[in-house]
Amino acid sequence: MVLGRPGAGRGGGLGRIVGIVEVVREAYPDPSDPKRVVVDVRAVRPLARPVTLTEIRADSRLQHLLLLRQPRLSVVPMDPASWNRICAMGGLPLGKPLIVP
């Protein structure tokens, strides 16, 4: 993840995306487990409604996402079309599509 890049914030391991976050510190070794890395983020805005992994799995346009193949990962890459689709599913205004820079 790149500093300043937006991302989808997952809700406490609940299997749903609840908001938009921004990367404030790029990946660094997890102090509690050096085999893992962590990324620091800050909350930007909540979605109007959470988007569940079940909903994402049901959308044929999102079948390719790494999030569905490795759902335990907290940070995964996402292409602009998928990002915009998930934002729309979460009720963000369609007049201002959010595109991952």
Side-chain angles (χ1 to χ4, degrees):
M1 297 291 298
V2 177
L3 191 65
R5 177 170 275 193
R10 292 185 52 193
L14 300 175
R16 60 187 182 176
I17 296 172
V18 297
I20 306 301
V21 298
E22 177 185 7
V23 175
V24 295
R25 183 176 176 191
E26 293 185 11
Y28 60 95
D30 184 338
S32 63
D33 183 352
K35 294 178 186 174
R36 296 182 182 189
V37 295
V38 293
V39 175
D40 292 345
V41 297
R42 74 168 180 89
V44 174
R45 69 182 289 181
L47 294 178
R49 68 170 204 79
V51 179
T52 67
L53 287 177
T54 301
E55 291 174 282
I56 294 170
R57 277 189 196 95
D59 192 312
S60 62
R61 294 168 283 192
L62 302 173
Q63 295 299 304
H64 65 284
L65 292 178
L66 183 59
L67 175 66
L68 298 179
R69 288 179 287 166
Q70 296 183 339
R72 294 184 65 199
L73 292 178
S74 296
V75 178
V76 295
M78 192 176 301
D79 61 278
S82 298
W83 170 260
N84 288 338
R85 178 67 187 137
I86 289 173
C87 287
M89 291 168 73
L92 290 182
L94 295 178
K96 291 184 172 182
L98 296 172
I99 298 175
V100 177

